[in-house]
């Protein structure tokens, strides 16, 4: 696991676009996600111009015979930097929100998701001094079992989940669970 760097921008963008385009969800209830793929230059300039954004974006890399391959991505958020982000999920004080976690389908079940969650926990504690990790998992997502094994607990729903139910973000499944893991912090 490592933070996103420029040589991996395109591979990370492709995985993110693959994830959002495979479902039936709607971007803010307006258009299907598959209609709005992130173009390469837009993704690259967004990350190139904001080095902090790259530090919050982790990539899992598999060493293959002749090159490294990005096999998973994870995006963290520790602040509410825009009204759009706050609409989707309002990060609490001392919390890091896992905005997105994706493992390539052919690499699932091989421990990559666990490695990404370990990286997120380490980053949350060491860089942001957070005492809690949070994420939202849509109903029916088999990854919920991974989150539970990693120590996440399901919490009561809030108004946010009305939005998830309305738009089925991002995979078209309506409804979601808010999950939280309390972190042990250094005294």
């Amino acid at each position: 696991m490592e933070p996103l760097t420029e040589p991996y921008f395109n591979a990370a963008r492709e995985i993110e676009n693959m994830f959002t385009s495979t479902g039936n969800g709607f971007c803010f209830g307006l258009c299907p996600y598959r209609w709005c793929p992130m173009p390469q230059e837009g993704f690259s300039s967004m990350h190139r111009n904001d080095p902090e954004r790259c530090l919050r974006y982790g990539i899992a890399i598999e060493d293959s015979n002749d090159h490294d391959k990005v096999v998973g991505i994870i995006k963290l958020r520790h602040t509410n930097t825009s009204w759009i982000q706050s609409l989707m999920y309002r990060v609490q004080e001392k919390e890091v929100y896992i905005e997105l976690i994706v493992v390539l389908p052919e690499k699932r079940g091989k421990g990559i998701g666990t490695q990404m969650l370990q990286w997120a926990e380490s980053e949350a504690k060491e860089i942001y001094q957070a005492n809690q990790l949070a994420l939202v998992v849509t109903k029916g997502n088999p990854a919920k079992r991974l989150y539970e094994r990693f120590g996440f607990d399901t919490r009561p729903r809030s108004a946010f989940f009305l939005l998830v139910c309305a738009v089925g973000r991002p995979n078209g499944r309506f409804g979601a669970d808010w999950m939280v893991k309390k972190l042990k912090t250094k005294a």
Side-chain angles (χ1 to χ4, degrees):
M1 284 299 306
E2 62 185 66
L4 179 64
T5 55
E6 193 156 350
Y8 298 108
F9 282 177
N10 194 46
R13 178 193 63 85
E14 286 176 0
I15 293 172
E16 192 169 327
N17 282 342
M18 175 204 65
F19 172 73
T20 56
S21 70
T22 57
N24 299 314
F26 288 88
C27 183
F28 299 106
L30 302 175
C31 65
Y33 279 104
R34 63 181 171 275
W35 289 3
C36 306
M38 173 70 77
Q40 182 174 350
E41 189 48 44
F43 185 94
S44 296
S45 68
M46 179 171 54
H47 289 83
R48 193 178 302 116
N49 296 331
D50 185 358
E52 168 70 15
R53 184 183 295 263
C54 289
L55 293 175
R56 297 186 315 256
Y57 201 119
I59 55 175
I61 299 175
E62 176 183 76
D63 293 328
S64 58
N65 295 338
D66 57 349
H67 68 286
D68 294 337
K69 179 180 179 183
V70 176
V71 295
I73 59 173
I74 185 168
K75 288 169 58 173
L76 308 178
R77 183 157 51 94
H78 68 285
T79 60
N80 299 303
T81 56
S82 73
W83 68 270
I84 292 174
Q85 287 179 334
S86 294
L87 177 66
M88 296 308 293
Y89 183 86
R90 180 171 290 284
V91 177
Q92 307 301 311
E93 185 176 340
K94 295 282 194 177
E95 176 181 77
V96 169
Y97 174 64
I98 299 174
E99 195 169 293
L100 178 69
I101 180 169
V102 181
V103 176
L104 289 176
E106 66 273 14
K107 300 297 179 181
R108 293 178 185 161
K110 298 180 180 180
I112 296 166
T114 300
Q115 289 175 3
M116 290 195 297
L117 290 172
Q118 289 167 339
W119 179 83
E121 182 173 336
S122 175
E123 297 291 301
K125 290 192 301 192
E126 294 174 21
I127 294 178
Y128 304 112
Q129 290 76 47
N131 60 20
Q132 174 170 294
L133 273 175
L135 57 80
V136 173
V137 59
T138 53
K139 293 285 187 189
N141 186 336
K144 183 175 181 182
R145 290 187 303 279
L146 166 65
Y147 307 143
E148 289 169 338
R149 283 193 311 270
F150 197 74
F152 281 87
D153 295 314
T154 301
R155 298 297 170 94
R157 293 181 175 90
S158 66
F160 163 78
F161 295 96
L162 295 176
L163 178 65
V164 172
C165 290
V167 301
R169 182 186 190 268
N171 62 6
R173 294 186 184 115
F174 297 106
D177 288 319
W178 173 41
M179 300 185 79
V180 171
K181 179 179 182 179
K182 294 289 184 185
L183 303 177
K184 293 182 175 117
T185 56
K186 296 176 185 174

